[in-house]
Amino acid sequence: AEGFIDRGYRADGTRGPRGEPGDVLRSAAEAAAQAVELARSGRVDTLCAHGDGAGAAALLGAARAALAGEGFRIAAPGRAERPGAGGR
């Protein structure tokens, strides 16, 4: 399952539809906090962000820093470390 660091979620865990208040997170701090929350929850396998916003790079940078600060390993999907893979 995918979790979006820059989209608003309802209390029941479903993503809020576009057009509702809180549908898109534009603050890097909010997106970073949501990334950590989603990663800790165990409900998602990957974290995603929409790259079409003007602040996308800042959101991603903040999320990466927050996740690394909490001890999460950052890797592209399908790039899990395997024995003998040389850490790639």
Side-chain angles (χ1 to χ4, degrees), residues 66-84:
L67 289 163
E70 293 291 325
F72 288 98
R73 189 178 67 82
I74 311 297
R79 296 290 226 149
E81 292 180 14
R82 298 182 313 271

Side-chain angles (χ1 to χ4, degrees), residues 3-19:
F4 289 88
I5 68 166
D6 58 350
R7 288 292 308 274
Y9 283 84
R10 295 176 170 163
D12 67 0
T14 60
R15 210 170 46 238
R18 295 268 184 154

Side-chain angles (χ1 to χ4, degrees), residues 7 16-24:
R7 288 292 308 274
R18 295 268 184 154
E20 282 190 1
D23 60 346
V24 177

